[in-house]
C-alpha cells in the first residue's frame, strides 16, 4: 500500500476523532435531527418485527460511518472512541446503551489532541436481517461531510413512503373487506338467482353483444381480403400493415379460433356503454345457479383483504385477486353498483398494484420503494374526485347549491343512499347549520 493511501487513511481518522471530541461531548445522534430519529423509530415500530434496543445500537454504529479506500479492498474503520470499544491511552471512554425507542448515553468526554489514539476497531456492517429497515439504507444515508464534518443520518426522500404504504394498504384492505362483506350479505337478494335484478341477465346481454361484434369482425376480415391495395394513403404503417408479410402475420392471428374466442370473451362482451364485462362469473357452467359464485367471490375477497390488513403488506398477485373479485361484482352489479365509489375503489385498487413488490410480503421491502409515478397517480386520482364533486355542484343549474339559497342539505339526509344512526339528528338541525354545511362542502372539495 502506498504512503499516500496510508496518509489519507490517518488524516480521515484524525478528522473523525476531532469531530467526536467536542466540548459539548455530544453523541453520534446529535448530528441527526430529532424529528428524523423519531420518524425512523416510529416507522420501524409500526412496521412490526423490530427490536428497538438492537436497532438503536445499530443506528449508533452506522452513524459513525466507515471510510472505504478503493483499490485492494482495505477499509478504514472509525476510531474506537466513537464505537464504545476503545482501549488504550487516554483518560476518556464512551459507551452506548439502547433504551426503549431512544438512546440512553453513558459517556465521558474522550481525550483530545495528541492523547487520542489512531487505533481502529472493527465494526461489522448492519445486517439486513437484524431489522426491518431496508438493507443498506442507513449506510447510504450516512455521509461524512467535508471539512471535518459529522456523520449525519439523512434518509432519502422516499423513505417515509414505506410507512405510508403500510397505512395505505391497511386502509385499502379495510375498505375492501367492508365492500365484500356487504356483497356477501346483500348480493343474493339484489343480483342473485332470485334477486331483484338477476346478474344472469347482464351476462346474457353481454354475450349477445360479444357474438354480434365477433360476427362483424369476421365479416370485415373476409371483405378485407378482396381489397387490392388497402394500404394506399395510410403512410408507412399502412404499407407495412398491408404488405404481403404483414397480411400473412395479421391474418394468422385474426383467423386463429382460440385467440378469436379469447378476444370475444375479454373484449367484445360489453355492457350498454360498450365497456368490457370483466368478471369471474364467465367461468360458471350453469348461469341459472350463480348464488354460489357470488358468495365464493365475496368470501375470497374478504379473506384476501383480511390477510393484507393483518400483514400490513401485499404483493401484486394478492392485490390483483382483490381487484378482480371486486371488478367481477362491479361488472354484473348493474344499478346497485352504479354509485361512484364502486368504480373509484376499482381504480384505486388498480393503482395499488404498482405500489407493492411483485412477490415479497415484507412490509418494508428492501430495494422496492414506492414508485414516484404511483404516488402522483394516486394524488391525481384524489384531485379528480374532489374537484369533480365540487364542480358538478357549482356548475349545475340547481339553485340549492348556490347563493342565496344554499339549502341542499335541508333534504339531503332524507334521500342519502347510505343513512346512519346520526342522520336523523343532523336532519333536525336548524337551517343556518345546513347552509354552513353547504359552504364547508364547497370549501373542502374546491379549495
Amino acid at each position: 500500500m502506498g504512503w499516500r493511501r496510508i496518509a489519507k487513511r490517518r488524516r480521515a481518522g484524525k478528522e473523525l476523532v476531532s469531530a467526536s471530541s467536542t466540548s459539548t461531548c455530544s453523541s453520534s445522534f446529535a448530528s441527526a435531527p430529532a424529528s428524523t430519529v423519531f420518524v425512523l423509530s416510529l416507522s420501524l415500530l409500526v412496521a412490526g418485527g423490530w427490536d428497538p434496543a438492537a436497532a438503536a445500537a445499530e443506528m449508533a454504529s452506522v452513524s459513525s460511518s466507515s471510510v472505504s479506500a478503493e483499490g485492494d479492498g482495505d477499509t478504514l474503520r472509525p476510531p474506537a472512541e466513537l464505537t464504545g470499544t476503545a482501549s488504550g491511552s487516554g483518560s476518556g471512554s464512551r459507551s452506548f446503551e439502547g433504551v426503549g425507542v431512544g438512546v440512553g448515553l453513558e459517556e465521558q468526554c474522550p481525550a483530545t489532541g495528541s492523547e487520542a489514539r489512531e487505533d481502529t476497531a472493527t465494526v461489522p456492517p448492519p445486517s439486513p436481517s437484524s431489522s426491518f429497515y431496508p438493507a443498506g439504507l442507513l449506510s447510504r444515508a450516512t455521509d461524512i461531510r467535508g471539512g471535518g464534518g459529522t456523520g449525519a443520518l439523512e434518509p432519502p426522500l422516499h423513505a417515509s413512503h414505506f410507512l405510508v404504504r403500510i397505512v395505505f394498504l391497511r386502509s385499502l384492505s379495510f375498505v375492501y373487506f367492508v365492500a365484500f362483506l356487504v356483497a356477501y350479505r346483500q348480493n343474493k337478494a339484489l343480483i342473485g338467482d332470485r334477486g331483484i335484478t338477476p346478474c344472469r341477465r347482464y351476462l346474457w346481454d353481454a354475450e349477445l353483444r360479444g357474438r354480434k361484434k365477433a360476427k362483424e369482425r369476421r365479416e370485415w376480415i373476409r371483405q378485407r381480403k378482396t381489397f387490392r391495395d388497402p394500404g394506399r394513403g395510410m403512410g408507412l404503417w399502412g404499407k407495412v400493415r398491408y404488405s404481403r408479410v404483414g397480411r400473412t402475420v395479421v391474418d394468422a392471428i385474426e383467423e386463429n379460433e382460440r385467440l378469436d374466442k379469447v378476444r370475444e370473451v375479454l373484449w367484445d362482451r360489453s355492457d350498454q356503454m360498450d365497456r368490457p364485462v370483466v368478471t369471474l362469473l364467465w367461468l360458471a357452467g350453469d348461469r341459472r345457479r350463480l348464488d354460489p359464485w357470488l358468495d365464493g367471490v365475496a368470501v375470497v375477497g374478504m379473506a384476501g383483504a383480511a390477510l393484507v390488513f393483518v400483514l400490513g403488506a401485499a404483493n401484486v398477485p394478492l392485490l390483483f385477486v382483490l381487484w378482480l373479485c371486486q371488478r367481477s361484482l362491479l361488472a354484473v352489479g348493474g344499478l346497485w353498483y352504479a354509485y361512484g365509489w364502486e368504480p373509484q375503489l376499482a381504480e384505486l385498487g388498480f393503482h395499488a398494484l404498482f405500489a407493492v413488490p411483485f412477490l415479497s410480503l415484507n412490509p418494508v421491502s428492501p430495494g422496492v420503494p414506492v414508485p414516484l409515478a404511483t404516488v402522483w397517480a394516486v394524488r391525481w386520482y384524489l384531485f379528480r374526485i374532489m374537484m369533480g364533486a365540487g364542480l358538478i355542484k357549482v356548475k349545475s343549474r340547481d339553485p340549492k347549491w348556490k347563493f342565496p339559497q344554499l339549502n341542499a342539505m335541508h333534504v339531503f339526509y332524507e334521500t342519502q343512499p347510505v343513512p346512519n344512526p346520526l342522520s336523523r339528528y343532523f336532519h333536525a338541525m336548524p337551517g343556518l347549520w345546513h347552509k354552513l354545511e353547504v359552504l364547508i362542502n364547497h370549501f373542502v372539495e374546491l379549495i
Side-chain angles (χ1 to χ4, degrees):
M1 179 181 296
W3 64 270
R4 292 184 178 180
R5 186 170 298 170
I6 297 176
K8 181 179 179 181
R9 292 177 57 186
R10 290 187 176 182
R11 187 164 52 250
K14 290 180 180 180
E15 289 176 357
L16 286 175
V17 172
S18 60
S20 63
S21 304
T22 59
S23 58
T24 58
C25 301
S26 60
S27 66
S28 60
F29 272 111
S31 59
S35 59
T36 303
V37 178
F38 172 75
V39 170
L40 293 176
S41 302
L42 181 60
S43 62
L44 293 174
L45 188 60
V46 173
W50 178 58
D51 184 1
E58 176 182 321
M59 294 170 71
S61 63
V62 174
S63 61
S64 54
S65 60
S66 60
V67 180
S68 298
E70 298 180 358
D72 55 355
D74 295 331
T75 302
L76 174 65
R77 298 298 180 182
E81 286 83 358
L82 294 180
T83 62
T85 59
S87 62
S89 63
S91 59
S93 62
R94 175 175 293 184
S95 61
F96 298 90
E97 292 183 5
V99 179
V101 296
V103 179
L105 301 178
E106 297 178 1
E107 58 181 36
Q108 297 176 357
C109 295
T112 59
S114 59
E115 297 179 359
R117 298 191 54 181
E118 297 179 5
D119 298 339
T120 59
T122 302
V123 181
S127 174
S129 60
S130 62
S131 68
F132 255 55
Y133 213 76
L137 183 57
L138 292 179
S139 59
R140 289 195 302 268
T142 312
D143 183 24
I144 298 179
R145 305 297 182 184
T150 59
L153 190 61
E154 297 177 357
L157 295 178
H158 63 261
S160 61
H161 292 161
F162 291 106
L163 177 59
V164 173
R165 178 165 59 186
I166 296 173
V167 178
F168 169 73
L169 290 176
R170 281 181 170 159
S171 303
L172 179 64
S173 63
F174 176 77
V175 177
Y176 265 132
F177 185 86
V178 173
F180 288 122
L181 178 61
V182 173
Y184 180 76
R185 298 187 61 183
Q186 298 183 1
N187 273 357
K188 289 190 293 295
L190 298 178
I191 60 176
D193 298 334
R194 302 180 61 183
I196 300 175
T197 56
C199 62
R200 61 176 177 270
R201 298 178 183 176
Y202 296 99
L203 296 178
W204 287 340
D205 293 342
E207 187 174 8
L208 290 177
R209 297 189 190 96
R211 291 178 180 176
K212 182 179 179 181
K213 289 182 179 181
K215 183 178 179 181
E216 293 174 353
R217 184 174 63 256
R218 297 187 189 102
E219 180 64 21
W220 159 248
I221 294 174
R222 186 187 65 81
Q223 294 180 3
R224 190 184 59 197
K225 293 181 178 180
T226 62
F227 295 164
R228 293 184 178 180
D229 190 7
R232 180 179 300 175
M234 297 181 63
L236 179 61
W237 168 246
K239 294 180 180 180
V240 174
R241 166 68 176 78
Y242 291 100
S243 63
R244 180 175 299 179
V245 177
R247 284 188 176 186
T248 302
V249 175
V250 173
D251 291 344
I253 295 175
E254 293 182 342
E255 294 178 359
N256 189 290
E257 296 182 357
R258 293 184 178 180
L259 294 179
D260 186 71
K261 184 64 176 179
V262 171
R263 182 175 180 178
E264 178 185 348
V265 174
L266 298 181
W267 187 256
D268 293 336
R269 296 181 181 180
S270 57
D271 57 10
Q272 296 179 354
M273 299 181 65
D274 204 26
R275 297 174 300 188
V277 178
V278 180
T279 177
L280 293 173
L281 300 184
W282 292 122
L283 303 177
D286 187 2
R287 295 180 186 169
R288 293 173 297 181
R289 300 184 59 184
L290 294 177
D291 284 352
W293 282 86
L294 294 175
D295 290 343
V297 170
V299 170
V300 171
M302 284 191 293
L307 180 62
V308 175
F309 186 85
V310 172
L311 295 178
N315 54 23
V316 172
L318 183 55
L319 287 185
F320 179 76
V321 169
L322 292 177
W323 176 85
L324 184 59
C325 290
Q326 195 266 344
R327 190 68 176 81
S328 299
L329 300 177
L330 173 63
V332 298
L335 180 63
W336 313 107
Y337 281 77
Y339 291 103
W341 51 72
E342 295 293 345
Q344 288 169 8
L345 178 58
E347 182 180 353
L348 186 60
F350 181 79
H351 287 314
L353 290 172
F354 302 93
V356 297
F358 186 75
L359 294 176
S360 175
L361 287 176
N362 189 347
V364 186
S365 299
V368 190
V370 180
L372 187 60
T374 303
V375 174
W376 280 103
V378 174
R379 290 173 180 173
W380 173 246
Y381 160 84
L382 296 174
F383 174 80
R384 287 189 294 108
I385 292 176
M386 300 303 294
M387 186 60 66
L391 289 178
I392 198 173
K393 298 180 179 68
V394 175
K395 298 182 68 175
S396 67
R397 298 181 179 180
D398 191 350
K400 294 192 294 295
W401 290 102
K402 303 178 181 180
F403 289 100
Q405 294 189 15
L406 299 176
N407 57 2
M409 300 302 294
H410 285 71
V411 296
F412 170 78
Y413 298 103
E414 297 177 353
T415 60
Q416 66 179 132
V418 186
N420 59 79
L422 299 179
S423 297
R424 58 180 299 182
Y425 300 104
F426 280 100
H427 178 65
M429 297 295 287
L432 182 61
W433 174 271
H434 292 311
K435 291 187 177 181
L436 182 62
E437 287 178 326
V438 175
L439 293 176
I440 293 177
N441 178 83
H442 290 333
F443 178 82
V444 171
E445 293 181 344
L446 297 175
I447 301 178

